[in-house]
Structure formats: C-alpha cells, structure tokens
Amino acid sequence: MGWFFLNLKTMGNNLKEQVEVSAYLNVKGKDTIAQIKNYIAAQPYAKDVQYIDKEKAKEIWNKDNNEDWDKILDYNPLPESINFYAKADYVNEDSLKKIAGELTQKFGTQLSGLNYPETLVTSMNDKVNKMGLIFLAISIILGVIVVVSIDNTIKLTMYSNRFLIKTMQMVGATRSFIARPMNVRAIVNGLISAAVAILIMLLLTGWAKERFPEIRSLENAGLNFLLYGCMVVFSVLISWFSTNRSVNKYLKTRLDDLY
C-alpha cells in the first residue's frame, strides 16, 4: 500500500499527460503555421507538439472511428491543427482555460478554437484525488494494525523473560545493564525484519514489472528508496520501543505481581 501511495502521483501524472489538446488553425501558409507551432512548443505547459494537416486529421479520424467517409463526402471537413499534450501540472480546468485565453489573445483569428476533453479532465482530477485519500486511509489503518501486532508480539516475548529480568535486578544489575542486550537484540531483529520485508517488496515489484512492463515508466525510484528507508527506520523504532517499554515495566513490577 505504501508503494502504491508513493507512486500514485507519478501514475496520476502519467494519465494526465495522455490528454491531447488541439489548437485549430484558421490560417494558411507554412511560415505562419510554423510560427504558431514554435510558440506553443516553447511554452512550459506543452510537450510533443505537432502539426496535423487535413490528410493526417482524416487518417486519425478514420482510425479512431473505423470508417472512411470517401463514400459519402467528396471533401475533407476537418480543420488543420497544432496538437500537443499538456504537462500534468496544467491538466486541470482552470489552467487549460487560461492557456486557451492566452493563445486566443496572442494569435486572434489565426486560431478558431482550442479543444480538449473537458469532462475527462474534470473527472480525472477528482478520481486521482479520491484514490489518493483512499490509499492514504488504508495505509494508515494497516500501519496501525501492524504496529499493534508487532507490539503485542514483543510484549509476549518479554513476558516470557519477566523472571529473568527480575532476577538480574535482584542480584544487583543496573537497569541499563539489563536493558542493553535486549535492546540490541530488538534493533537487530528490526533490521532483519526490514531486510526481509524489502526483499519481498523487490520480488513482488520485479514480478509485477515483468508481467506489466508499463509499470517501469510509472515507478519513481527515489520514492521507492524513501519507502525502504522508512521501513528500516520504523521497524527498528517499533522493535526497540516495545522492548524497552516492556523491560522497564517488569523492572518496576513487584516480584509477587509477576506470578
């Protein structure tokens, strides 16, 4: 769940950048068209900018709709356009409307309009935000369950050693002397468990990448290392904290109360 949550932004950005924007041309002349294309390509919001002439537009239409209108029409009604994909940060209703206004103000009647799937853009942002909240909520719930389970397991282990802890205290051992080897063992156990968990994560993600190669482009290596680092830190902290708390508890407990 942590892997999905951390990589959700990358996945969402990848989906957003599949949204194509078409700036329809109302002008002829290669120089003017090249000028408009170069201007759009230089903007921070555009990527993969290309000029679509009438023949290319017809080819795309026939491919998407699986039909050829040559049998019905003797002319091509599709306009020429400059098509580009908006970068993820700009794929929202407000930004795209602002882009449309800027291009209209810049080129005026040379552009007949800007087209993009408005409904898809709105629903996509809503779904990505909802998915983020769902993954976060599930991750927190699972995290609490795991922490409680680990804490209870360590408590049981310390419970079985309660007489050993009390005996060492009764023969004069200090609290730090008694707790030190158990805390060291807890830290080692935390490191071992984190290593096992990371290995399982690597095996699972490796298997997923082989089955679904597109995951490679969605995965953020930096966030994955952050996840592995957090697994190590939290594993050690949980193990050390629970062990140290249990040891202190039995050191403070009266001998008669241990039975």
Side-chain angles (χ1 to χ4, degrees), residues 103-218:
L103 292 177
T104 301
Q105 184 177 3
K106 174 72 175 177
F107 297 104
T109 57
Q110 293 177 333
L111 295 179
S112 60
L114 194 75
N115 181 62
Y116 58 89
E118 295 184 26
T119 304
L120 177 62
V121 169
T122 303
S123 64
M124 186 181 297
N125 281 287
D126 290 341
K127 288 179 179 178
V128 169
N129 291 334
K130 289 178 181 177
M131 286 176 62
L133 291 175
I134 291 171
F135 276 111
L136 178 61
I138 295 176
S139 298
I140 291 173
I141 293 170
L142 290 177
V144 171
I145 292 172
V146 168
V147 169
V148 171
S149 298
I150 294 173
D151 184 61
N152 287 334
T153 302
I154 293 175
K155 280 182 180 178
L156 288 174
T157 303
M158 291 297 102
Y159 180 78
S160 65
N161 291 325
R162 66 192 185 283
F163 288 110
L164 174 62
I165 294 172
K166 200 63 181 178
T167 301
M168 293 174 67
Q169 185 185 33
M170 292 175 66
V171 298
T174 62
R175 289 192 177 189
S176 60
F177 181 85
I178 297 171
R180 187 180 303 113
M182 295 185 179
N183 286 337
V184 170
R185 187 185 307 165
I187 293 172
V188 172
N189 287 342
L191 292 172
I192 292 173
S193 63
V196 172
I198 291 172
L199 178 61
I200 293 173
M201 280 286 298
L202 290 172
L203 292 174
L204 285 174
T205 53
W207 172 82
K209 289 175 191 175
E210 289 184 2
R211 294 291 301 272
F212 310 100
E214 57 272 15
I215 292 178
R216 298 179 188 275
S217 62
L218 302 178

Side-chain angles (χ1 to χ4, degrees), residues 2-252:
W3 184 90
F4 276 112
F5 178 71
L6 289 177
N7 288 282
L8 183 64
K9 180 176 175 60
T10 307
M11 296 177 187
N13 288 346
N14 187 273
L15 288 174
K16 288 181 180 180
E17 292 184 352
Q18 302 300 315
V19 175
E20 190 174 32
V21 182
S22 299
Y24 294 126
L25 300 173
N26 193 27
V27 64
K28 301 293 183 181
K30 292 183 179 180
D31 293 340
T32 304
I33 292 173
Q35 181 184 0
I36 297 173
K37 178 183 175 183
N38 292 336
Y39 175 84
I40 294 176
Q43 302 308 305
Y45 53 75
K47 56 179 289 189
D48 299 334
V49 182
Q50 57 178 331
Y51 164 61
I52 304 296
D53 59 17
K54 284 181 170 292
E55 289 302 317
K56 182 67 175 177
K58 178 181 177 181
E59 181 182 333
I60 294 172
W61 171 272
N62 289 337
K63 181 179 179 181
D64 292 342
N65 295 277
N66 194 27
E67 60 185 49
D68 193 337
W69 64 50
D70 283 344
K71 299 176 181 178
I72 304 173
L73 301 176
D74 56 0
Y75 70 98
N76 186 344
L78 296 176
E80 297 177 319
S81 64
I82 304 293
N83 287 12
F84 62 93
Y85 293 96
K87 293 182 180 178
D89 292 339
Y90 297 90
V91 181
N92 58 73
E93 190 174 359
D94 293 337
S95 295
L96 290 174
K97 284 183 177 179
K98 185 177 179 181
I99 291 170
E102 289 178 355
L103 292 177
T104 301
Q105 184 177 3
K106 174 72 175 177
F107 297 104
T109 57
Q110 293 177 333
L111 295 179
S112 60
L114 194 75
N115 181 62
Y116 58 89
E118 295 184 26
T119 304
L120 177 62
V121 169
T122 303
S123 64
M124 186 181 297
N125 281 287
D126 290 341
K127 288 179 179 178
V128 169
N129 291 334
K130 289 178 181 177
M131 286 176 62
L133 291 175
I134 291 171
F135 276 111
L136 178 61
I138 295 176
S139 298
I140 291 173
I141 293 170
L142 290 177
V144 171
I145 292 172
V146 168
V147 169
V148 171
S149 298
I150 294 173
D151 184 61
N152 287 334
T153 302
I154 293 175
K155 280 182 180 178
L156 288 174
T157 303
M158 291 297 102
Y159 180 78
S160 65
N161 291 325
R162 66 192 185 283
F163 288 110
L164 174 62
I165 294 172
K166 200 63 181 178
T167 301
M168 293 174 67
Q169 185 185 33
M170 292 175 66
V171 298
T174 62
R175 289 192 177 189
S176 60
F177 181 85
I178 297 171
R180 187 180 303 113
M182 295 185 179
N183 286 337
V184 170
R185 187 185 307 165
I187 293 172
V188 172
N189 287 342
L191 292 172
I192 292 173
S193 63
V196 172
I198 291 172
L199 178 61
I200 293 173
M201 280 286 298
L202 290 172
L203 292 174
L204 285 174
T205 53
W207 172 82
K209 289 175 191 175
E210 289 184 2
R211 294 291 301 272
F212 310 100
E214 57 272 15
I215 292 178
R216 298 179 188 275
S217 62
L218 302 178
E219 193 176 38
N220 188 316
L223 292 178
N224 286 344
F225 283 115
L226 175 63
L227 175 63
Y228 299 147
C230 289
M231 290 167 68
V232 172
V233 171
F234 281 109
S235 182
V236 171
L237 284 177
I238 293 168
S239 184
W240 172 83
F241 177 77
S242 296
T243 299
N244 192 64
R245 187 178 62 174
S246 296
V247 171
N248 288 332
K249 172 186 174 183
Y250 293 121
L251 287 174
K252 295 177 182 178

